[in-house]
């Protein structure tokens, strides 16, 4: 007899086959309303006073650099605001209202904000799901973000996998991504390269550079579940799938699956909340070159502990 409490075996098989899984209606209508209201409150609370005007850039070309200033590097245990590139004019000032200028808020909402703590650490349904999935023996939660994809400027997130950014040995990152609004082809819905977690080795990792800032360091050994026979042809855009993703959907994202989202060209926002889990020691080692580091005051919280 099955001991599953939340997922079906079909869902678990689908996750392992494709490297992602959508769970529609994971959030209730009231849950979505609460998270949307809190997101808007956080944007209203944002003040530019003392803000270094840090923009969120993903650096997917050689000219563009990934964000890596101190405001970003020290945000792992704080609630900080990162701006859209196109929201800052040549004069260095915002060219639109602040609530329409923030790309994301991160990276300790799951620890510090009561609404997002409830969804992330105090969520019995989520714990049941994680137990069913058995992706980790002792999952730890880190790196929460509200991603807004602002109307007409919400920047694209280029093809990547999450274990590049939250590197453990062996790779164990797992993303939990919650749609707070309907995602559409024009407002920047997520798309995935199904099965790429098995065929595409992690090629590099995102590190704090010794001289300051961040960069990508090549990985000597490619870690995959299967032999990478088709990785190059897999990268063709036409093999990407953009699954329908209405508000309330939870998307599970394997740390090695390639995924991306396009620029928001619509007049509507696309709010999403996301956080990640990794395996804890001794089952995996979290790397001290990673951009996000636990602190003495805020170590990574274990999902299965009791959280007040
Ligand atoms: O929300 C998005 O558009 C991108 C999110 C993503 O790629 C991630 O969380 O890894």
């Amino acid at each position: 007899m099955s001991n599953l409490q939340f997922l079906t075996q079909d869902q678990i098989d689908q996750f392992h086959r494709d490297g992602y899984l959508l769970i529609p209606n994971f959030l209730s209508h009231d849950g979505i309303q609460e998270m949307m209201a809190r997101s808007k409150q956080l944007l209203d609370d944002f003040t530019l006073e003392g803000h270094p005007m840090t923009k969120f850039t993903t650096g997917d070309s050689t000219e563009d650099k990934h964000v890596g200033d101190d405001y970003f590097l020290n945000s792992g245990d704080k609630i900080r605001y990162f701006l859209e590139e196109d929201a800052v004019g040549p004069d260095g000032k915002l060219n639109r209202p602040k609530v329409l200028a923030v790309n994301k808020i991160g990276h300790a909402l799951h620890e510090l904000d009561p609404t997002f703590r409830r969804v992330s650490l105090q969520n019995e349904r989520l714990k049941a799901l994680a137990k069913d999935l058995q992706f980790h023996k002792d999952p730890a939660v880190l790196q929460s973000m509200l991603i807004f994809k602002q109307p007409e400027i919400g920047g694209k997130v280029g093809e990547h996998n999450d274990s590049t950014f939250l590197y453990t040995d062996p790779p164990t990152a797992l993303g939990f991504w919650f749609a707070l609004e309907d995602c559409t082809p024009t407002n920047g819905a997520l798309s995935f390269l199904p099965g790429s977690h098995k065929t595409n080795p992690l090629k590099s990792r995102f590190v704090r550079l010794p001289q300051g800032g961040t960069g990508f360091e090549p990985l000597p050994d490619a870690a995959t579940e299967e032999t990478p026979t088709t990785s190059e042809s897999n990268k063709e855009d036409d093999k990407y799938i953009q699954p329908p993703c209405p508000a309330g959907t939870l998307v599970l994202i394997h740390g090695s699956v390639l995924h991306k989202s396009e620029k928001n060209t619509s007049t509507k926002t696309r709010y999403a909340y996301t956080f990640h889990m990794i395996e804890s020691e001794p089952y995996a080692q979290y790397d001290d070159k990673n951009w996000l580091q636990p602190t003495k005051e805020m170590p990574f919280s274990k999902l299965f502990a009791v959280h007040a």
Side-chain angles (χ1 to χ4, degrees):
M1 213 185 74
S2 160
N3 286 325
L4 297 175
Q5 294 194 1
F6 190 87
L7 294 171
T8 64
Q9 191 56 49
D10 277 354
Q11 287 176 309
I12 295 171
D13 294 346
Q14 201 181 323
F15 170 79
H16 287 295
R17 184 191 67 209
D18 296 338
Y20 64 93
L21 176 72
L22 279 80
I23 305 173
N25 300 313
F26 183 88
L27 299 174
S28 66
H29 177 76
D30 289 353
I32 297 170
Q33 296 308 311
E34 186 192 343
M35 290 165 80
M36 281 297 290
R38 185 64 192 139
S39 305
K40 288 179 179 162
Q41 185 64 53
L42 286 165
L43 286 175
D44 281 341
D45 293 347
F46 175 41
T47 167
L48 280 168
E49 213 181 297
H51 189 276
M53 301 299 281
T54 304
K55 292 172 264 183
F56 190 79
T57 51
T58 52
D60 56 359
S61 76
T62 42
E63 308 91 64
D64 297 336
K65 283 179 77 96
H66 195 291
V67 59
D69 65 359
D70 285 350
Y71 184 77
F72 171 79
L73 288 173
N74 298 324
S75 65
D77 58 355
K78 299 182 184 67
I79 295 178
R80 288 192 160 172
Y81 297 74
F82 301 93
L83 300 170
E84 274 296 349
E85 279 193 277
D86 289 351
V88 183
D91 58 357
K93 298 207 170 89
L94 290 190
N95 56 19
R96 65 200 65 223
K98 62 176 184 172
V99 297
L100 293 172
V102 177
N103 169 296
K104 63 171 63 176
I105 300 178
H107 287 94
L109 292 154
H110 64 293
E111 296 283 356
L112 299 173
D113 184 89
T115 296
F116 294 104
R117 189 173 172 85
R118 254 194 308 284
V119 180
S120 319
L121 292 174
Q122 299 169 325
N123 186 339
E124 294 310 316
R125 293 168 71 238
L126 193 94
K127 291 183 189 190
L129 182 161
K131 281 193 179 133
D132 286 351
L133 195 63
Q134 291 186 31
F135 194 79
H136 300 123
K137 291 189 176 61
D138 188 7
V141 180
L142 71 173
Q143 194 187 238
S144 48
M145 297 176 268
L146 276 165
I147 306 176
F148 299 106
K149 282 271 187 195
Q150 299 286 3
E152 291 168 343
I153 57 162
K156 80 167 196 177
V157 178
E159 177 182 76
H160 68 284
N161 50 32
D162 296 343
S163 280
T164 300
F165 296 89
L166 297 171
Y167 189 70
T168 60
D169 183 15
T172 60
L174 175 65
F176 290 73
W177 192 98
F178 303 80
L180 303 184
E181 297 184 289
D182 292 343
C183 303
T184 68
T186 57
N187 77 359
L190 290 177
S191 54
F192 297 88
L193 195 53
S196 52
H197 61 305
K198 296 188 179 180
T199 55
N200 236 73
L202 288 184
K203 294 189 181 64
S204 63
R205 42 173 308 211
F206 182 66
V207 295
R208 286 179 181 241
L209 295 170
Q211 67 272 31
T214 54
F216 291 89
E217 185 179 278
L219 280 170
D221 294 318
T224 51
E225 289 177 26
E226 287 174 10
T227 315
T229 48
T230 54
S231 60
E232 289 314 314
S233 58
N234 265 353
K235 281 191 152 179
E236 291 160 22
D237 275 356
D238 59 5
K239 294 193 175 149
Y240 263 85
I241 303 277
Q242 190 174 77
C245 185
T249 304
L250 166 60
V251 189
L252 301 181
I253 306 176
H254 188 296
S256 296
V257 80
L258 291 170
H259 59 289
K260 60 183 181 178
S261 66
E262 300 302 332
K263 180 173 177 160
N264 185 356
T265 55
S266 79
T267 53
K268 299 206 166 70
T269 52
R270 194 229 61 190
Y271 282 27
Y273 172 64
T274 183
F275 60 84
H276 290 80
M277 291 186 199
I278 49 159
E279 183 64 280
S280 303
E281 291 182 6
Y283 309 108
Q285 307 301 316
Y286 190 76
D287 203 289
D288 59 15
K289 284 192 199 166
N290 287 342
W291 84 265
L292 190 153
Q293 292 298 323
T295 59
K296 198 152 57 61
E297 296 73 32
M298 196 182 285
F300 298 149
S301 285
K302 304 284 186 75
L303 179 70
F304 296 140
V306 175
H307 296 286

